[in-house]
Amino acid sequence: MKQLLLSNPGTTIDLDVTEMPDSVPLFRRLYICFEACRKGFVLGCRPFIGLDGTFLKGFYDGQLLTAIGQDANNQIFPIAYAVVDSETKDNWKWFLENLHADLGNYRVHGWNFISDQQKGLIPAMKEVMHDVHHRFCAMHIWSNFTKRWKDKQLKGAVWECCKSTTVQQFDVAMMRLKEVNEAAWEYLNRLDPKSWTKAHFSDWSKVDNVTNNNCETFNGKILKYRGKPTITMLEEVRTYIMRFMARNKKSFSGYIGRVAPRQLSRLEREKEESSKWTPTLAGDDDMNIYEVEKHPTKVTVDLGNQECTCRFWQLTGLPCRHACAALAHRGRRPEEQIHNWLGMQAYNTAYRQNINPVPSKEFWEKVTDILFFHPITKEELVDLRKREERKEMSRGLTPIRTRLKENMGRPYAIIVARYDSTHNSIQLCLLRNFTLVIQTYLVGWP
């Protein structure tokens, strides 16, 4: 960690350990936020953050908590990550407190979050940032919904409600659902609409995502690393993010357009549809307000405030098809009306910083810091139990697990000793009923 901080000044590393009496501490959790990621997100990305936790598949299990942003070209942008033992409220609160300290006040910056409906995350979010805009992944809502209702019509109704961009569209979709199945309507009506439908989303972030695909994408990219030992896994994730940022910086180095490529592609689709709409100038002093019609639908477009009745412009930062029709009537280019967060200037700002390489162990400065050890694993406890059961059965005795279940005799206790050649130490573990009671180390064992 010291070498990581020397190579990347400004990086935040928070190591939390469990203090052990008369012994070295045990590793508990670790948070990392690189300065390049922090600066790149704050200065060049939209204020939209995906949160998720994914299983680690290595020897010691655990979870990897991640915070993932989205750059101007709608690509993932890793912000911070942490290794914890499980997705508990305490671990999420600790992670969010670190993230908040790194990124700045959520009220000032207007951070918006999206996540699954994790039981530990929701109360932790309310404690750390209690009135923040927090969306829930529609795919997670839909998955829970389809466990109770298998009808295809109802499944489609969920997405119709979720993707409605105006309150009126949302209300109509919900009433249609109520007519089909009132129990399904009651299930969705219990959810806060601000957390799952575009019609009630905050338009500050200029992101209309309804799913947490950014985190899922990142988890998929590091899948092959999640089965490795913790330190190796963390180093692999660091090098992946370093390569990722360097590749994205280089990929558009020769691009000369003002609008990011993926945003431009989306805008082109809106421009094509705009030919089907007829704009009529309302006659205001600034000549900015239009009534745009495609029979029988009429909407109002305000070019000055960059607003449309459909709310697409407000939610995404891109002119909608109605706005494109009005802009064409005024002889103005839609590309000039996009939000600054969607342009190449913001994209280049996000990737202006870089993560510096970290030399291998033989080039590190010599340190005499305290050692940290992993606790005994669940797999080791299971193996110990099975071995002891086999020994007891070979002697014709009742298996340990049966005796414990029936509360026969005294509590079963066992001392486990194992040699750690790396640190030249002996690890001693006292287990009672196969629950870890005491764990200590004899460092410098002869």
Side-chain angles (χ1 to χ4, degrees):
M1 290 186 295
K2 181 178 180 181
Q3 190 61 45
L4 192 64
L5 292 171
L6 289 174
S7 302
N8 294 271
T11 293
T12 300
I13 299 179
D14 185 8
L15 174 64
D16 194 13
V17 299
T18 300
E19 296 294 338
M20 302 296 292
D22 305 322
S23 167
V24 296
L26 295 178
F27 173 84
R28 185 184 179 194
R29 53 194 181 186
L30 175 67
Y31 168 92
I32 298 176
C33 178
F34 288 100
E35 176 71 356
C37 295
R38 185 192 68 81
K39 273 191 174 181
F41 175 75
V42 172
L43 299 178
C45 295
R46 287 161 286 179
F48 183 76
I49 303 169
L51 301 173
D52 195 26
T54 185
F55 287 103
L56 298 178
K57 303 178 180 180
F59 190 68
Y60 294 99
D61 295 327
Q63 296 265 343
L64 184 70
L65 307 184
T66 55
I68 309 297
Q70 185 168 310
D71 65 22
N73 198 41
N74 286 352
Q75 299 170 130
I76 63 171
F77 192 91
I79 304 170
Y81 52 94
V83 175
V84 297
D85 55 355
S86 59
E87 285 191 77
T88 62
K89 176 187 172 183
D90 178 62
N91 283 333
W92 271 117
K93 183 179 179 181
W94 168 80
F95 181 79
L96 291 173
E97 286 173 343
N98 276 300
L99 187 67
H100 190 219
D102 280 331
L103 301 184
N105 191 289
Y106 69 97
R107 290 194 179 96
V108 175
H109 295 279
W111 306 128
N112 281 230
F113 291 88
I114 187 170
S115 70
D116 294 342
Q117 295 174 290
Q118 290 105 331
K119 294 181 179 179
L121 173 57
I122 296 173
M125 180 69 78
K126 290 180 179 179
E127 289 188 17
V128 179
M129 296 173 270
H130 69 278
D131 57 349
V132 74
H133 293 284
H134 186 190
R135 307 176 189 178
F136 296 140
C137 178
M139 183 61 72
H140 189 256
I141 294 174
W142 180 83
S143 177
N144 291 336
F145 182 90
T146 54
K147 291 177 182 178
R148 301 181 61 179
W149 295 282
K150 307 294 184 181
D151 186 84
K152 290 184 178 180
Q153 185 179 0
L154 292 179
K155 294 178 182 179
V158 175
W159 289 108
E160 183 182 2
C161 295
C162 179
K163 294 180 179 180
S164 299
T165 59
T166 67
V167 175
Q168 294 78 11
Q169 289 176 348
F170 174 71
D171 290 341
V172 170
M174 287 291 285
M175 289 304 298
R176 190 180 296 119
L177 174 63
K178 186 176 183 181
E179 293 173 358
V180 176
N181 190 313
E182 188 166 348
W185 172 83
E186 289 177 355
Y187 176 83
L188 292 178
N189 197 48
R190 287 196 296 267
L191 300 174
D192 183 358
K194 293 181 180 179
S195 66
W196 70 284
T197 173
K198 291 184 181 182
H200 292 273
F201 282 172
S202 165
D203 58 21
W204 168 252
S205 66
K206 304 306 175 190
V207 179
D208 65 341
N209 294 6
V210 295
T211 60
N212 197 16
N213 286 344
N214 290 336
C215 288
E216 296 297 334
T217 299
F218 180 77
N219 292 340
K221 294 293 184 181
I222 63 170
L223 176 62
K224 58 185 177 182
Y225 310 137
R226 283 159 40 198
K228 298 185 177 183
T230 304
I231 295 177
T232 304
M233 183 270 297
L234 290 172
E235 183 63 7
E236 294 282 8
V237 171
R238 179 194 67 81
T239 54
Y240 165 75
I241 297 175
M242 181 176 68
R243 294 193 308 269
F244 170 84
M245 295 186 69
R247 183 176 66 249
N248 284 358
K249 182 176 184 178
K250 182 181 178 182
S251 60
F252 295 118
S253 58
Y255 185 78
I256 58 176
R258 178 180 182 274
V259 186
R262 291 185 181 178
Q263 305 295 354
L264 184 60
S265 177
R266 194 176 187 186
L267 180 59
E268 288 297 329
R269 291 195 294 270
E270 294 300 314
K271 287 167 67 176
E272 290 178 8
E273 291 294 325
S274 68
S275 61
K276 302 175 184 178
W277 293 81
T278 303
T280 303
L281 186 63
D284 61 304
D285 292 339
D286 296 326
M287 299 295 178
N288 282 328
I289 300 179
Y290 279 82
E291 180 181 271
V292 185
E293 178 183 8
K294 177 186 174 184
H295 186 76
T297 305
K298 294 180 181 180
V299 297
T300 301
V301 174
D302 186 342
L303 300 180
N305 293 321
Q306 297 189 337
E307 295 178 352
C308 179
T309 305
C310 72
R311 293 190 72 239
F312 180 90
W313 202 352
Q314 295 95 301
L315 286 170
T316 65
L318 288 170
C320 60
R321 59 198 60 183
H322 318 115
C324 289
L327 289 167
H329 186 269
R330 286 291 303 274
R332 295 163 63 179
R333 300 179 67 245
E335 291 81 358
E336 297 173 354
Q337 305 301 315
I338 68 160
H339 197 282
N340 292 333
W341 288 337
L342 310 180
M344 287 304 299
Q345 183 175 354
Y347 181 90
N348 293 328
T349 300
Y351 294 102
R352 187 169 296 160
Q353 292 78 25
N354 66 280
I355 296 178
N356 295 321
V358 178
S360 56
K361 188 174 181 180
E362 61 266 26
F363 300 104
W364 295 357
E365 294 182 10
K366 299 298 181 182
V367 295
T368 56
D369 294 340
I370 193 168
L371 301 175
F372 300 99
F373 293 87
H374 280 292
I376 192 168
T377 67
K378 295 178 182 178
E379 288 79 3
E380 290 175 303
L381 293 178
V382 172
D383 290 341
L384 285 169
R385 188 195 70 205
K386 289 181 178 179
R387 286 203 301 268
E388 293 300 316
E389 284 183 351
R390 285 195 295 268
K391 289 181 182 178
E392 296 283 358
M393 294 178 69
S394 66
R395 298 171 186 167
L397 301 175
T398 304
I400 297 170
R401 185 162 38 180
T402 304
R403 297 210 310 273
L404 293 176
K405 186 176 180 180
E406 297 176 355
N407 198 25
M408 298 171 59
R410 298 178 181 179
Y412 189 87
I414 185 172
I415 296 178
V416 180
R418 63 181 178 186
Y419 178 63
D420 185 343
S421 59
T422 305
H423 303 108
N424 191 28
S425 62
I426 294 293
Q427 178 189 30
L428 299 177
C429 304
L430 173 62
L431 308 173
R432 179 171 295 170
N433 294 358
F434 291 100
T435 300
L436 183 64
V437 179
I438 298 175
Q439 185 168 225
T440 188
Y441 294 87
L442 305 177
V443 181
W445 187 260

